Coordinates of all heavy atoms in Angstrom, one line a residue:
A24 N 9.9 0.1 6.1 CA 10.8 0.1 7.2 C 11.9 1.3 7.1 O 12.1 2.0 8.1 CB 11.5 -1.2 7.4
A25 N 12.5 1.4 5.9 CA 13.5 2.5 5.8 C 12.9 3.9 6.0 O 13.5 4.7 6.6 CB 14.1 2.4 4.4
V26 N 11.7 4.1 5.4 CA 11.0 5.4 5.5 C 10.6 5.7 6.9 O 10.9 6.8 7.5 CB 9.8 5.5 4.6 CG1 9.0 6.7 4.8 CG2 10.2 5.4 3.1
T27 N 10.0 4.8 7.6 CA 9.5 5.0 9.0 C 10.6 5.1 10.0 O 10.5 5.8 10.9 CB 8.4 4.0 9.4 OG1 9.0 2.6 9.3 CG2 7.2 4.1 8.5
T28 N 11.7 4.3 9.8 CA 12.8 4.4 10.7 C 13.5 5.8 10.6 O 13.8 6.3 11.7 CB 13.9 3.3 10.3 OG1 13.3 2.0 10.5 CG2 15.1 3.4 11.2
K29 N 13.6 6.3 9.4 CA 14.2 7.6 9.3 C 13.3 8.7 9.9 O 13.8 9.6 10.6 CB 14.5 8.0 7.8 CG 15.1 9.3 7.6 CD 16.4 9.5 8.4 CE 17.6 9.0 7.6 NZ 18.9 9.4 8.3
L30 N 12.0 8.6 9.7 CA 11.1 9.5 10.3 C 11.2 9.5 11.8 O 11.2 10.5 12.5 CB 9.7 9.3 9.8 CG 9.4 9.7 8.4 CD1 8.0 9.2 7.9 CD2 9.6 11.2 8.1
A31 N 11.2 8.3 12.4 CA 11.4 8.1 13.8 C 12.7 8.8 14.4 O 12.6 9.4 15.4 CB 11.3 6.6 14.2
Q32 N 13.7 8.6 13.6 CA 15.0 9.2 14.0 C 14.9 10.7 14.0 O 15.6 11.3 14.8 CB 16.1 8.7 13.1 CG 16.5 7.3 13.2 CD 17.4 6.8 12.1 OE1 17.7 7.5 11.1 NE2 17.9 5.6 12.3
L33 N 14.1 11.2 13.2 CA 13.9 12.7 13.1 C 12.9 13.2 14.0 O 12.6 14.4 14.1 CB 13.6 13.1 11.6 CG 14.7 12.8 10.6 CD1 14.1 12.9 9.2 CD2 15.8 13.7 10.8
G34 N 12.2 12.3 14.8 CA 11.2 12.8 15.7 C 9.9 13.1 15.1 O 9.1 13.8 15.6
V35 N 9.6 12.6 13.9 CA 8.4 12.8 13.1 C 7.4 11.7 13.4 O 7.8 10.5 13.3 CB 8.7 12.9 11.6 CG1 7.4 13.1 10.9 CG2 9.7 14.1 11.3
N36 N 6.2 12.1 13.8 CA 5.2 11.1 14.1 C 4.3 10.9 12.9 O 3.9 11.8 12.2 CB 4.3 11.6 15.3 CG 3.4 10.5 15.8 OD1 3.6 9.3 15.7 ND2 2.2 11.0 16.3
I37 N 3.9 9.6 12.6 CA 3.1 9.3 11.5 C 1.6 9.2 12.1 O 1.4 8.4 13.0 CB 3.5 8.0 10.9 CG1 4.9 8.1 10.3 CG2 2.5 7.6 9.8 CD1 5.5 6.8 9.9
L38 N 0.8 10.1 11.6 CA -0.6 10.1 12.1 C -1.5 9.2 11.3 O -2.5 8.6 11.9 CB -1.2 11.6 12.0 CG -0.4 12.6 12.8 CD1 -1.0 14.0 12.5 CD2 -0.4 12.3 14.3
D39 N -1.3 9.0 10.0 CA -2.1 8.2 9.2 C -1.3 7.8 8.0 O -0.3 8.5 7.6 CB -3.4 9.0 8.7 CG -4.5 8.0 8.2 OD1 -4.3 6.8 8.2 OD2 -5.5 8.6 7.9
V40 N -1.6 6.6 7.4 CA -0.9 6.2 6.2 C -1.8 5.4 5.3 O -2.7 4.7 5.8 CB 0.3 5.3 6.6 CG1 -0.1 4.0 7.3 CG2 1.2 5.0 5.4
S41 N -1.6 5.6 4.0 CA -2.3 4.8 3.0 C -1.2 4.3 2.1 O -0.4 5.1 1.6 CB -3.3 5.6 2.3 OG -3.9 4.9 1.2
Q42 N -1.2 3.0 1.9 CA -0.2 2.4 0.9 C -0.9 1.3 0.1 O -1.8 0.7 0.5 CB 1.0 1.9 1.7 CG 0.8 0.6 2.4 CD 2.0 0.0 3.0 OE1 2.7 0.8 3.7 NE2 2.3 -1.2 2.8
T43 N -0.3 1.1 -1.1 CA -0.8 0.1 -2.0 C 0.3 -0.3 -3.0 O 1.3 0.4 -3.1 CB -2.1 0.6 -2.7 OG1 -2.7 -0.5 -3.4 CG2 -1.7 1.7 -3.8
L44 N 0.1 -1.4 -3.6 CA 1.0 -1.8 -4.7 C 0.2 -1.7 -6.0 O -1.0 -2.2 -6.0 CB 1.4 -3.3 -4.5 CG 2.4 -3.5 -3.3 CD1 2.6 -5.0 -3.2 CD2 3.6 -2.8 -3.5
M45 N 0.8 -1.1 -7.0 CA 0.2 -1.0 -8.3 C 1.1 -1.8 -9.2 O 2.1 -1.3 -9.6 CB 0.0 0.5 -8.7 CG -0.9 1.3 -7.8 SD -0.8 3.1 -8.1 CE -1.0 3.2 -9.9
D46 N 0.7 -3.0 -9.5 CA 1.6 -4.0 -10.2 C 2.9 -4.0 -9.4 O 2.9 -4.4 -8.2 CB 1.8 -3.5 -11.7 CG 0.6 -3.8 -12.5 OD1 -0.1 -4.8 -12.3 OD2 0.4 -3.0 -13.5

Side-chain angles (χ1 to χ4, degrees):
V26 170
T27 58
T28 297
K29 179 57 87 175
L30 289 174
Q32 291 170 351
L33 296 167
V35 176
N36 189 29
I37 299 168
L38 302 174
D39 199 358
V40 64
S41 174
Q42 74 176 49
T43 192
L44 292 175
M45 297 171 49
D46 288 328

